[in-house]
Amino acid sequence: MQFQVTDELIDKLQYLIEEKNNEELLLHLEEVHHADIAEILTELNLEEATYLVKLLDSEKTAEALMELEEGVRERILENLSAKEIASELNEMDTDDAADIISELSLELQQDVISEISDEQHADDIVELLRYDEDSAGGLMAKELVKVNENWSVTGCMAEMRKQAENVTRVHSIYVVDDKNKLKGRLSLKDLLTASSNDNISDIYIPSVDYVNVHTEGEEVARIMQKYDLEAIPVVDEMNRLVGRITIDDIVDFIKEEAEKDYQMAAGISEDVEADASIWRLTRARLPWLILGLFGGLGAVYVMKGFEEALANYVELFFFTPLIAAMAGNVGVQSSAIIVQGLANDNLRGSLFNRLLKEIGLTLINGVVLGVLVILFGLIVGQPQIVSFTIALALITVIILAALIGTFVPIILDKQGIDPAIATGPFITTSNDIFGIFIFFYLAKTILGF
Amino acid sequence: MQFQVTDELIDKLQYLIEEKNNEELLLHLEEVHHADIAEILTELNLEEATYLVKLLDSEKTAEALMELEEGVRERILENLSAKEIASELNEMDTDDAADIISELSLELQQDVISEISDEQHADDIVELLRYDEDSAGGLMAKELVKVNENWSVTGCMAEMRKQAENVTRVHSIYVVDDKNKLKGRLSLKDLLTASSNDNISDIYIPSVDYVNVHTEGEEVARIMQKYDLEAIPVVDEMNRLVGRITIDDIVDFIKEEAEKDYQMAAGISEDVEADASIWRLTRARLPWLILGLFGGLGAVYVMKGFEEALANYVELFFFTPLIAAMAGNVGVQSSAIIVQGLANDNLRGSLFNRLLKEIGLTLINGVVLGVLVILFGLIVGQPQIVSFTIALALITVIILAALIGTFVPIILDKQGIDPAIATGPFITTSNDIFGIFIFFYLAKTILGF
């Protein structure tokens, strides 16, 4: 049932583009959804994609451009003139247009804006460019349907139909006063069932959730999700209605945030796709590897400091990778749970209780792991005092790792730093060094080498 | 602007519950949104929460129950009779009601269903229980607005208003034929602007995205996101319209999936919250730690096998944690990128090219890291041949780790296993052992100990 972008279709289109058979091309692509056009543009080479964008109606290509990955879009836009870009922007909602413009060079931005024919549209876009990308102001669109509280239902219907022309989807109708201050909302259902003698002020719902232009994107996402909203109005400092955010933008936002956290946890610092260039992938990955390398070199140093153990307790050196790995694993587990708790805003109770719980939990896990280590020692015929030392050190090390894993994201969050960074190689690396040091230090104390 | 659940409010409510001052309680909670009621229920103890649920109108508590974390909800429901649960379910949309019922014991399910007063509602719920939780059938609700293609616009308006009573939000009006087969959709906007002489068949849009009851949740999420849909109709094997899925359920689904992947990457196997019991947290975390421990013990064994290197090349043992950590880091990076590419369905090109690219990328990273290792060797006065051997082994090990990280998730995905599992301790652990073995094997070959 779903339209499929097949290899045959791509071959066919490439042939038609080469032949410059515009008529056939338009016929083939007429009924195709813009999201599928985007997929087609990704499959074509840059020249072919540019050809199609220039050929097709801006109404269709504008939306397709929005669906493209940033890299692909940038390359296509570089091949278009300021005027051509402006005609695409004319067809976009203001929030999308602002996103695209902000990707252009400053010089080109000026040129493109001056070429936008609809002056109101251009004004709106310029306004949106002022806000931080991840704030409600940066996420909102100017397109919305609003009515004045003093209007009658009949007058309102006419005006509303006019406004609805510019709005892809009418979620809610917002009610404002003469000064454009947000008063409440109307549902289409209410309007349908109202008598035509009513005034808007008689039928509107005065309670409405809204956010301020400066509200952070994450907070907007949290509110919309908590209250199952499909759109939320945005007001400025004077409580004037200036825009609205729709759920589809929030879905994209949530997904991007989740992907960023996931990549951060895996030690990838930029938002890269599998198909990014080797250079971008290196830039995203190498810094974390270098951090890990320094951690490893630090561990080398620590072990050198306990070199005298080689004489009688060489097993300790065989166990260091195990100790380091367990410290890393436990630290990542602890921090991942805290990072998610912070993201979902459902951490309750005091930090002290949380640390206490983490100690208890890790103690249980540690005892199980310690017993396994002692069993292993019995099987391979290791001196019991050594096995016991390793088990004890393991428990100590993972409790410390759990504390660091719990503590660090909470501290980072309080400092206004994204706590997700704590689940990455950062915590693994520091836990490695700490873990190995404590391991040998404890061993030295007990075994006395 | 946002309603806040403060400590004072909770204290006040607890006092009122103790006093059994129902009048004041109702007055306080009358205007409170169900999502905030849910937050309040979480803050109260079980007895107090149950008291409130019994006191408040089912219409409000039904929705609040849906917002609760599963554990809290289960405990509250255990305190209610089958009849009380049924009266909550009566107020819920069918999809929510089915979710709740599936959490109950089989015996209680029977009792509750037989107590649901609205027979059609009960029938619908029973139908939904048949589908797999993560399929379109399991995600959909029966509540929707549909019209027959043969109706007139005027007749349709009246019928629609009636249907809309039962539907929280009208997203789209679906058009069906006499056999209930899905034909297309109508927008409210179209209906508003249509002339009353028109027939539905004249004005409806025959192209409509839909999914089958058996479509997987992830596929539904992908389609709704790709096409920016706010609701999608669900059809059965005969193409009959049986339900619809709304975007708010998909938002929850996307978030849950992202959290699952994130936790998997961190070595946590069940969906646990920070506030879960120690027992549940142990169950989620310990298995991965034991896996890691076995990996570490395997590494001990490998190193024992190269014990003869201790005589002349003890540095090698100091470097094993570094080698193991780097193998783990690179493997996780590689697999995370592939897992996301698979999830977003944007992996293009052959597996061979992908592996080639990964080798090239890791070679670049490896050379940088290798040079750093050699520099470190110069600084600490390590024999150059040893530094060189370690650098070379490091490059070899991380290339292998990158290949495993790329290969394993693709293979798992082809086998129908969630590839996200590959970014967890699973890949780190196997890379540790492989890495350490290759490290010593190479060193033995070059240094000849």
Side-chain angles (χ1 to χ4, degrees):
Chain A
M1 48 120 323
Q2 291 286 325
F3 175 85
Q4 291 285 346
V5 178
T6 57
D7 286 346
E8 291 79 54
L9 177 67
I10 297 295
D11 287 346
K12 177 98 197 207
L13 291 174
Q14 285 178 319
Y15 172 79
L16 291 173
I17 291 171
E18 180 144 3
E19 297 282 301
K20 298 205 193 306
N21 190 340
N22 294 348
E23 209 171 319
E24 274 284 312
L25 277 170
L26 287 172
L27 205 68
H28 265 83
L29 297 172
E30 196 177 25
E31 293 287 312
V32 179
H33 190 280
H34 60 82
D36 294 313
I37 297 276
E39 219 176 303
I40 291 171
L41 291 177
T42 310
E43 296 283 339
L44 296 174
N45 70 37
L46 179 58
E47 227 169 289
E48 293 161 347
T50 312
Y51 186 87
L52 266 198
V53 171
K54 291 189 182 186
L55 174 68
L56 294 176
D57 195 358
S58 301
E59 203 174 322
K60 187 160 253 165
T61 52
E63 300 210 62
L65 283 172
M66 280 316 300
E67 302 286 334
L68 287 178
E69 277 164 34
E70 202 178 315
V72 182
R73 179 168 58 226
E74 266 172 29
R75 265 168 286 147
I76 292 179
L77 289 181
E78 275 167 21
N79 282 341
L80 300 183
S81 68
K83 204 185 165 96
E84 282 166 331
I85 297 176
S87 85
E88 300 287 342
L89 299 186
N90 252 330
E91 298 297 333
M92 289 181 191
D93 281 351
T94 44
D95 56 338
D96 294 339
D99 286 348
I100 298 247
I101 287 196
S102 65
E103 289 170 12
L104 303 175
S105 69
L106 277 180
E107 209 194 332
L108 191 51
Q109 290 191 5
Q110 297 282 353
D111 293 349
V112 169
I113 290 170
S114 67
E115 292 280 359
I116 295 177
S117 53
D118 179 340
E119 212 164 305
Q120 179 63 46
H121 196 59
D123 266 3
D124 287 346
I125 294 170
V126 169
E127 182 194 330
L128 292 183
L129 284 174
R130 260 188 261 134
Y131 300 109
D132 178 70
E133 192 183 5
D134 285 339
S135 71
L139 287 165
M140 74 184 183
K142 300 292 294 177
E143 287 82 3
L144 52 79
V145 178
K146 65 180 176 188
V147 297
N148 189 302
E149 57 174 341
N150 300 320
W151 291 353
S152 71
V153 166
T154 353
C156 169
M157 289 290 274
E159 172 65 23
M160 230 194 60
R161 275 184 206 157
K162 214 173 72 192
Q163 290 183 26
E165 296 281 297
N166 294 316
V167 181
T168 325
R169 287 194 200 103
V170 181
H171 288 90
S172 257
I173 303 148
Y174 301 117
V175 180
V176 294
D177 67 10
D178 291 333
K179 288 186 172 139
N180 196 28
K181 292 195 181 184
L182 182 66
K183 303 291 286 184
R185 69 192 160 87
L186 260 182
S187 73
L188 264 182
K189 228 164 84 180
D190 297 331
L191 204 55
L192 277 176
T193 47
S195 117
S196 45
N197 301 326
D198 285 338
N199 257 350
I200 297 300
S201 52
D202 303 324
I203 58 168
Y204 83 82
I205 307 154
S207 96
V208 56
D209 288 296
Y210 60 91
V211 290
N212 186 282
V213 281
H214 301 299
T215 309
E216 277 179 40
E218 280 176 36
E219 177 67 7
V220 179
R222 201 189 59 76
I223 295 173
M224 291 187 73
Q225 227 183 326
K226 178 172 178 186
Y227 297 111
D228 284 344
L229 306 176
E230 297 185 342
I232 195 164
V234 183
V235 299
D236 68 6
E237 294 81 351
M238 307 276 289
N239 208 27
R240 286 179 302 218
L241 178 63
V242 290
R244 70 153 181 185
I245 299 172
T246 50
I247 188 73
D248 53 317
D249 293 325
I250 290 298
V251 170
D252 293 343
F253 183 83
I254 290 173
K255 253 204 117 176
E256 272 167 33
E257 289 295 305
E259 288 187 356
K260 248 195 265 170
D261 284 1
Y262 183 74
Q263 294 202 333
M264 200 97 90
I268 304 168
S269 54
E270 289 180 60
D271 184 20
V272 286
E273 313 261 344
D275 291 304
S277 68
I278 286 199
W279 166 235
R280 270 204 73 185
L281 283 167
T282 303
R283 224 171 47 189
R285 293 168 62 165
L286 187 57
W288 295 107
L289 295 180
I290 291 179
L291 177 71
L293 186 80
F294 284 142
L297 294 177
V300 171
Y301 237 88
V302 170
M303 281 188 273
K304 260 193 211 296
F306 292 97
E307 213 162 353
E308 64 270 28
L310 280 169
N312 292 313
Y313 300 108
V314 67
E315 298 91 342
L316 296 181
F317 290 90
F318 299 161
F319 272 91
T320 35
L322 182 150
I323 296 286
M326 296 310 283
N329 288 347
V330 170
V332 167
Q333 284 184 337
S334 302
S335 62
I337 288 183
I338 297 296
V339 167
Q340 283 202 331
L342 289 168
N344 293 333
D345 201 19
N346 62 9
L347 283 190
R348 285 191 193 83
S350 71
L351 178 59
F352 181 74
N353 284 338
R354 191 158 296 287
L355 292 176
L356 219 60
K357 182 176 179 186
E358 198 62 29
I359 291 175
L361 174 70
T362 314
L363 200 59
I364 296 174
N365 288 345
V367 168
V368 176
L369 299 170
V371 168
L372 290 174
V373 165
I374 290 171
L375 281 177
F376 176 84
L378 284 175
I379 294 168
V380 301
Q382 198 168 255
Q384 287 201 24
I385 179 77
V386 173
S387 297
F388 177 76
T389 304
I390 292 170
L392 190 71
L394 176 62
I395 295 174
T396 313
V397 164
I398 65 175
I399 287 180
L400 189 87
L403 290 181
I404 295 177
T406 305
F407 207 66
V408 170
I410 292 179
I411 299 298
L412 288 179
D413 188 56
K414 288 223 166 102
Q415 299 292 321
I417 302 169
D418 184 352
I421 205 166
T423 43
F426 185 70
I427 225 159
T428 327
T429 304
S430 58
N431 279 354
D432 274 12
I433 305 185
F434 275 125
I436 291 175
F437 177 78
I438 289 166
F439 171 58
F440 277 100
Y441 186 81
L442 259 178
K444 190 172 181 172
T445 312
I446 298 175
L447 302 172
F449 46 79
Chain B
M1 49 124 315
Q2 292 286 326
F3 175 85
Q4 291 285 346
V5 178
T6 59
D7 286 346
E8 293 77 55
L9 176 68
I10 297 295
D11 286 346
K12 177 96 197 210
L13 292 174
Q14 285 178 319
Y15 173 78
L16 291 173
I17 290 170
E18 180 142 4
E19 297 282 300
K20 297 204 193 306
N21 190 339
N22 294 347
E23 209 171 320
E24 274 285 309
L25 276 172
L26 288 171
L27 204 68
H28 265 83
L29 297 171
E30 195 176 26
E31 293 287 312
V32 179
H33 190 280
H34 59 82
D36 294 313
I37 298 273
E39 220 176 301
I40 291 170
L41 292 177
T42 310
E43 297 283 338
L44 296 174
N45 70 37
L46 179 58
E47 227 170 288
E48 294 161 346
T50 312
Y51 186 87
L52 267 197
V53 170
K54 291 189 181 186
L55 174 68
L56 295 175
D57 194 359
S58 301
E59 203 174 323
K60 188 160 253 163
T61 52
E63 301 209 62
L65 284 173
M66 280 317 298
E67 303 286 335
L68 287 178
E69 276 164 35
E70 202 176 316
V72 182
R73 179 168 58 228
E74 265 173 30
R75 266 169 285 147
I76 293 179
L77 289 182
E78 276 167 21
N79 283 342
L80 300 183
S81 68
K83 202 182 165 99
E84 282 167 330
I85 297 176
S87 85
E88 300 288 341
L89 299 186
N90 251 330
E91 298 297 332
M92 289 181 192
D93 280 352
T94 44
D95 55 339
D96 294 337
D99 286 348
I100 299 249
I101 287 195
S102 65
E103 290 169 12
L104 303 175
S105 69
L106 276 179
E107 208 193 334
L108 191 51
Q109 288 190 8
Q110 298 282 352
D111 293 348
V112 170
I113 289 169
S114 67
E115 292 282 358
I116 296 177
S117 53
D118 178 341
E119 211 165 305
Q120 179 63 45
H121 196 59
D123 267 3
D124 287 345
I125 295 170
V126 170
E127 182 193 332
L128 292 183
L129 284 174
R130 260 189 263 132
Y131 301 109
D132 178 69
E133 198 185 357
D134 285 339
S135 71
L139 288 165
M140 74 184 183
K142 299 294 294 178
E143 287 81 3
L144 51 79
V145 179
K146 64 179 177 188
V147 296
N148 189 302
E149 58 175 340
N150 299 320
W151 291 352
S152 71
V153 167
T154 354
C156 170
M157 289 290 274
E159 172 65 24
M160 230 194 60
R161 277 185 205 157
K162 214 173 70 190
Q163 290 185 25
E165 298 281 296
N166 293 317
V167 181
T168 325
R169 288 194 200 104
V170 181
H171 288 90
S172 258
I173 303 147
Y174 301 116
V175 181
V176 294
D177 66 10
D178 291 334
K179 287 185 171 141
N180 195 29
K181 292 197 183 183
L182 181 65
K183 303 292 285 185
R185 68 191 160 88
L186 260 182
S187 73
L188 264 182
K189 227 164 82 179
D190 297 331
L191 204 56
L192 277 177
T193 47
S195 118
S196 45
N197 300 326
D198 285 339
N199 257 350
I200 297 300
S201 52
D202 303 325
I203 60 167
Y204 82 84
I205 307 154
S207 97
V208 56
D209 288 296
Y210 60 91
V211 290
N212 187 282
V213 281
H214 301 299
T215 308
E216 277 180 38
E218 280 175 36
E219 177 68 5
V220 179
R222 201 188 60 74
I223 294 173
M224 291 188 73
Q225 225 184 327
K226 179 172 177 186
Y227 297 111
D228 284 344
L229 305 177
E230 297 185 343
I232 195 164
V234 183
V235 300
D236 68 4
E237 293 82 351
M238 307 275 289
N239 208 29
R240 285 178 304 217
L241 179 63
V242 289
R244 69 153 181 184
I245 300 172
T246 50
I247 187 74
D248 53 317
D249 293 325
I250 290 298
V251 171
D252 294 343
F253 183 83
I254 290 175
K255 253 204 117 175
E256 272 166 35
E257 289 295 305
E259 289 187 355
K260 248 195 267 170
D261 283 2
Y262 183 75
Q263 295 201 331
M264 199 97 90
I268 303 168
S269 54
E270 287 180 60
D271 184 20
V272 286
E273 312 260 345
D275 291 305
S277 68
I278 286 200
W279 166 235
R280 270 203 72 185
L281 283 166
T282 302
R283 224 173 45 190
R285 292 168 63 165
L286 187 56
W288 295 107
L289 295 180
I290 291 178
L291 177 70
L293 185 80
F294 283 143
L297 294 177
V300 171
Y301 238 87
V302 170
M303 282 188 272
K304 261 194 209 294
F306 292 97
E307 214 164 351
E308 65 271 26
L310 280 169
N312 292 312
Y313 300 108
V314 66
E315 297 91 343
L316 296 181
F317 290 90
F318 300 160
F319 273 91
T320 33
L322 183 150
I323 296 287
M326 297 309 285
N329 288 346
V330 170
V332 167
Q333 285 184 337
S334 302
S335 61
I337 288 184
I338 297 296
V339 167
Q340 283 203 332
L342 288 168
N344 293 333
D345 201 19
N346 62 10
L347 283 190
R348 286 191 191 83
S350 72
L351 178 60
F352 181 74
N353 284 337
R354 191 158 296 287
L355 291 176
L356 219 59
K357 183 177 178 186
E358 199 61 29
I359 291 176
L361 174 70
T362 314
L363 200 59
I364 296 174
N365 288 345
V367 167
V368 175
L369 298 170
V371 168
L372 289 174
V373 165
I374 289 171
L375 281 177
F376 175 84
L378 283 175
I379 294 169
V380 301
Q382 197 167 257
Q384 286 202 24
I385 180 76
V386 173
S387 296
F388 177 75
T389 304
I390 293 171
L392 189 72
L394 177 62
I395 295 174
T396 314
V397 164
I398 64 175
I399 287 180
L400 188 88
L403 291 181
I404 294 177
T406 305
F407 207 66
V408 170
I410 292 179
I411 299 299
L412 287 180
D413 187 57
K414 288 223 167 103
Q415 300 292 321
I417 303 170
D418 184 352
I421 206 167
T423 44
F426 185 70
I427 225 161
T428 328
T429 304
S430 57
N431 278 354
D432 275 12
I433 306 184
F434 275 125
I436 292 175
F437 177 78
I438 288 166
F439 171 59
F440 277 100
Y441 186 83
L442 258 178
K444 190 171 182 173
T445 311
I446 298 175
L447 304 170
F449 46 79

